[in-house]
Amino acid sequence: MEKILCCEQCGAPLSRWATSEGCLRCLLQAGLEPNAVENANSPADFGTHAYHHYRILLKEDGSAWELGRGAMGVTYKAVDVNLQVPVALKVLNGRFSSLPGADDRFLHEAQAAAQLRHPNVASVFHFGVVNLFPDFDGPGSDPDRKEQQPRGDCFYAMEFVEGETLEALLRRRGRISPLMAVEIGLQVSRALAAAEKCGLVHRDIKPANIMLRAADAADGKDFSLPDSSEAWVKVIDFGLAQAAKAEEEGESANPARFLGTPEFASPEQLQGRRLDIRSDIYSLGATLWYGLTGTIANRSSGLGEQASALDLPSPVVALLESMLATDPDDRPASAAALSEALIEGRRAVTGETEPRARFFRGARKRTLTAAALLLAAVLGLFFYFFLPNPSTDDKSIAVLPFRNLSTDPKNDFFAE
């Protein structure tokens, strides 16, 4: 029997209510009853902007400094009052966190994500609950639990990344170039490789969850492609990643609940099946396709026909087709395999005859060799022209001829 995919927040069938922004039922409720959702996430309603030792920063108009808003919660720019460093603070929707077992699941997933340390990942380093309130008999109570724990608003703190999301960049300047798409994909694949080693599946790779750290992006200027050796791409929102073996821990016994964005979700994710890293590879392919074309990938109409109208390089199109394969077995088998394919794609786009890393290593070696030869030549010239030549006779004297210029002949012996 096919699983019925449900919204994680309200439990409504997602196949019936799904939109580009998520669950239509939740969005309608937010519009008809704005206080039901907005107030659950607004720090001002609690009379405080403090979440443990984090304080949400305010804008000039006195409003909370929002970085992003989704169906599950709001992300704010905050400061660690102890260390005086900025952080990104995500406060989960109160209705969402009150679902049976949701708080425990978030804690487990945040603990797993906190173990993920990589230059291309925005790290999660704190999870907490504030504004506790008991809920023993309410709709969020779990009759199978002998003791109901006090519930409240879950939040987690993660690394604050200065810059803008890929989504914001696309809104600001339009489609990106094939080279930039490949470079972004390569950096995201490194983050996915680190997640794969930890047994994590992100489940929501999309333009809004890819942060670009480039200084040009942060200043709002026209974006220039940084050096590929730098970690200028950060994957965010790993705090809600799912352990790949979650089904083995009993989650598969619950109704299938969707977490992600339908337009960028893999077919197996939409069908509520078990996920692995290949699901994130599909989502990354959909993200890169969106960045290149400005449209959602539509496998039914054929990517090749769509790409030909935009004059996209055929190697890049072939790579995206493999990433967007309906069958997971037809996609790159791992994040490492994807990285290798992206390196080949970059080589095809730039016309490189050897991998860029090897080229730069060879160029640096050649530069150092030339510098050493030049230094040796300069030193040789210095010793040749400015230092005296050594003599074989250490003791010598020069005798000059004398002539007696006086009129006294007695002084002739001096000349002799």
Side-chain angles (χ1 to χ4, degrees), residues 243-321:
K245 296 183 180 180
E247 291 88 347
E248 298 178 3
E249 299 174 1
E251 187 173 333
S252 59
N254 298 327
R257 294 188 179 277
F258 179 83
L259 180 62
T261 305
E263 287 79 2
F264 301 97
S266 65
E268 62 268 26
Q269 186 176 3
L270 291 172
Q271 295 168 7
R273 292 185 287 158
R274 182 172 178 175
L275 307 180
D276 57 28
I277 197 63
R278 294 172 297 178
S279 177
D280 285 342
I281 290 177
Y282 182 98
S283 298
L284 177 57
T287 297
L288 298 180
W289 179 264
Y290 181 78
L292 285 168
T293 66
T295 60
I296 302 299
N298 185 4
R299 294 300 310 228
S300 60
S301 59
L303 299 183
E305 298 179 1
Q306 303 173 54
S308 60
L310 299 173
D311 195 24
L312 296 178
S314 56
V316 175
V317 176
L319 174 59
L320 291 177
E321 285 183 327

Side-chain angles (χ1 to χ4, degrees), residues 29-30 44 69 78 83 107 124 165 185 191 299 302-303 325 349 395 413 415:
Q29 184 172 357
R69 177 177 288 268
L83 302 179
L107 175 59
V124 174
T165 63
R299 294 300 310 228
L303 299 183
V349 172
K395 296 180 180 180
F413 74 93

